[in-house]
Amino acid sequence: EKTYLRYIRWALEDRYKMLPYFKTLDKEWNEKEMPIIRPMFLMHPEARYLEYWSQFYLGDRILVAPVLKNDTSIVEIKFPPGSWYRLGSGIPVNLPYQGATIE
């Protein structure tokens, strides 16, 4: 039971840390009609991201690549060019080259 409480506390803390970002996204939606959840091809129309349909942006700064299959913890992620960091820890994601696909 204590393990679940730790995860619940962690999720709630992260939620509250992200509230200012969500408020900013809500404002963008109301003023610029930019969706909060943005497909890859909306953010990068010049590149070929249609095959990575499960990836999306939360706003313009957070790339989401969910695990959609049972019994797996590996996801193939296509990173657009730029610097990327793990959410929460701020640790850089080491990419072999710009725009790399990693597992």
Side-chain angles (χ1 to χ4, degrees), residues 47-103:
R48 296 183 177 215
Y49 288 103
L50 286 176
E51 62 199 63
Y52 296 93
W53 59 269
S54 63
Q55 287 184 205
F56 59 91
Y57 278 88
L58 184 58
D60 62 351
R61 297 173 184 235
I62 298 176
L63 179 63
V64 179
V67 177
L68 298 176
K69 295 180 182 176
N70 290 332
D71 301 325
T72 187
S73 59
I74 298 174
V75 176
E76 184 178 302
I77 304 170
K78 174 70 172 178
F79 285 90
S83 298
W84 294 95
Y85 303 88
R86 295 186 183 276
L87 186 64
S89 69
I91 297 172
V93 176
N94 294 321
L95 299 174
Y97 55 90
Q98 288 289 319
T101 300
I102 65 168
E103 288 187 351

Side-chain angles (χ1 to χ4, degrees), residues 18 21-22 24-26 28-29 34-40 42-44 56-64 84:
M18 293 189 67
Y21 184 63
F22 286 126
T24 300
L25 294 179
D26 185 54
E28 279 186 20
W29 169 253
M34 281 297 288
I36 293 171
I37 296 175
R38 303 171 187 177
M40 295 287 289
L42 176 65
M43 301 301 291
H44 304 281
F56 59 91
Y57 278 88
L58 184 58
D60 62 351
R61 297 173 184 235
I62 298 176
L63 179 63
V64 179
W84 294 95

